[in-house]
Amino acid sequence: MKTALVLGGTMFFGKRLVQLLIDRGVEVTIATRGTTSDPFGDTVKRINLDRTKKESIVKGLSGLQWDVVYDQTAYSPIEVKDVLDVVQDQMKHYVFTSTMAVYDFGLQKKETDFIPGDTEYELKARNEYVGLSGYQEAKRACEQYLEKFSPVPVSVVRFPLVIGEDDYTNRLKIIVDRVMNEEPISVFELDLGLGFVTSEKAAELLFWLGNTKKTGAWNGALDGYWTHRQLIEEIEDITGKKAIIKEESQPEPETISPYAMPKDWSVDASKAKAEGFEFGTVEDVLRPLIQYYAHTRQ
């Protein structure tokens, strides 16, 4: 891989991906709306475009060539279609960032638990997908469109909850802060399992797939999973505070945990591990990350 286009690349693990590409000597172009600054200076090329507007994609991407296109920002199959329509003859490989949400609820889901070609989909705009179920439908439809129409080999990466000190959503920090501030936290059930991956490993897996040109679906996740109960107990142990927890069938929006899911949800990354890719364990990552948030409060 000598050249890469990253659709996105200015936030969270997308930013880590761009830095990895630069460090490996890849000529990188990032395509964004231009509303978020980045730290890359003149080490990358930049294109401003709006994924929701076909004319913007045509103007920004026409006539350019890349070995790999990394798609970090597609939230509807129309957005995938529009990019493919423009760059189908301008790339050799397509790496799509998907999510564990393509799977039905359950623990340690494997790649074969969702086969894109097995179901029908609709071409809809991102504003037509609402809530968690809408996000699930949208990402499934993106994968289904790629499965059927991509003119080049495709890698699809399915991530669970992404964590790290650079998580701009501050989801874990919110939970730590609420415990330390003795504020209530609502969940559906404390003993539902959750899967995680670090932003660092997410970026490394994306780079690895683009560089090795391995195709198909790949889960990326830390070994194991944690329940809300384990998470809360660890926060209590580190902070010395007692959490105020409410288990509710319909958690209140004001108090709901950012990680609240109505059922178990995690993925198994043994396929990538069999190829030599190591992610680490949930325990080894979550404990120091909780300590980080507990001791760096602002």
Side-chain angles (χ1 to χ4, degrees), residues 3-298:
T3 60
L5 168 68
V6 181
L7 295 161
T10 59
M11 299 180 73
F12 207 15
F13 60 93
K15 188 158 58 175
R16 285 186 179 270
L17 169 63
V18 172
Q19 190 61 59
L20 271 177
L21 291 164
I22 294 169
D23 292 345
R24 300 304 193 277
V26 179
E27 182 183 289
V28 182
T29 301
I30 57 175
T32 70
R33 291 176 298 169
T35 58
T36 303
S37 61
D38 66 74
F40 305 119
D42 59 4
T43 60
V44 301
K45 299 177 181 179
R46 293 174 182 80
I47 296 171
N48 287 351
L49 58 79
D50 184 342
R51 285 296 299 268
T52 65
K53 298 178 180 179
K54 178 71 171 285
E55 62 272 20
S56 179
I57 296 170
V58 172
K59 181 179 178 181
L61 303 183
S62 293
L64 304 174
Q65 300 284 332
W66 300 280
D67 293 328
V68 179
V69 171
Y70 286 97
D71 193 343
Q72 295 278 99
T73 59
Y75 290 95
S76 83
I78 289 178
E79 293 168 18
V80 173
K81 177 183 183 300
D82 288 347
V83 168
L84 289 183
D85 285 349
V86 174
V87 303
Q88 58 181 315
D89 298 321
Q90 302 166 209
M91 62 175 174
K92 300 175 183 177
H93 190 75
Y94 195 90
V95 181
F96 179 73
T97 297
S98 191
T99 167
M100 73 173 175
V102 299
Y103 299 117
D104 292 330
F105 291 114
L107 293 175
Q108 302 304 90
K109 291 290 187 174
K110 295 182 181 294
E111 289 85 354
T112 52
D113 288 325
F114 174 66
I115 306 299
D118 287 350
T119 54
E120 297 297 321
Y121 66 95
E122 295 181 63
L123 284 174
K124 298 191 294 187
R126 66 168 62 188
N127 61 1
E128 297 180 76
Y129 299 101
V130 180
L132 180 60
S133 61
Y135 178 67
Q136 182 177 45
E137 180 188 355
K139 285 295 191 176
R140 284 177 171 175
C142 289
E143 287 198 28
Q144 288 160 335
Y145 189 86
L146 284 168
E147 174 80 10
K148 189 171 183 180
F149 294 111
S150 176
V152 297
V154 174
S155 305
V156 172
V157 192
R158 298 167 181 168
F159 291 125
L161 298 168
V162 185
I163 55 177
E165 294 179 9
D166 52 345
D167 181 4
Y168 70 96
T169 70
N170 285 319
R171 290 175 293 184
L172 181 55
K173 182 180 184 296
I174 288 170
I175 299 172
V176 173
D177 285 347
R178 286 185 184 174
V179 173
M180 296 186 73
N181 294 333
E182 299 180 327
E183 298 171 346
I185 302 170
S186 299
V187 299
F188 292 92
E189 293 181 33
L190 273 171
D191 292 315
L192 295 177
L194 297 169
F196 298 88
V197 68
T198 65
S199 56
E200 180 181 12
K201 290 298 181 180
E204 288 178 7
L205 182 59
L206 288 164
F207 172 81
W208 179 73
L209 288 170
N211 197 46
T212 61
K213 297 181 175 58
K214 292 184 181 294
T215 59
W218 297 81
N219 289 338
L222 294 165
D223 296 347
Y225 58 88
W226 263 17
T227 65
H228 253 98
R229 187 184 302 279
Q230 289 172 285
L231 183 64
I232 294 299
E233 287 177 350
E234 193 67 30
I235 296 172
E236 290 176 328
D237 184 61
I238 289 171
T239 64
K241 294 282 190 175
K242 182 66 177 177
I244 303 171
I245 302 297
K246 298 179 179 180
E247 291 184 284
E248 302 174 320
S249 59
Q250 293 294 326
E252 293 294 326
E254 296 80 10
T255 60
I256 190 170
S257 165
Y259 289 155
M261 299 289 179
K263 296 183 181 179
D264 297 299
W265 230 354
S266 69
V267 299
D268 177 276
S270 57
K271 178 181 175 181
K273 288 181 66 178
E275 294 286 338
F277 198 95
E278 295 295 332
F279 295 94
T281 69
V282 172
E283 291 81 4
D284 288 344
V285 171
L286 272 176
R287 288 188 178 116
L289 191 55
I290 291 169
Q291 290 174 333
Y292 167 80
Y293 285 125
H295 297 143
T296 59
R297 301 175 73 219
Q298 296 181 356

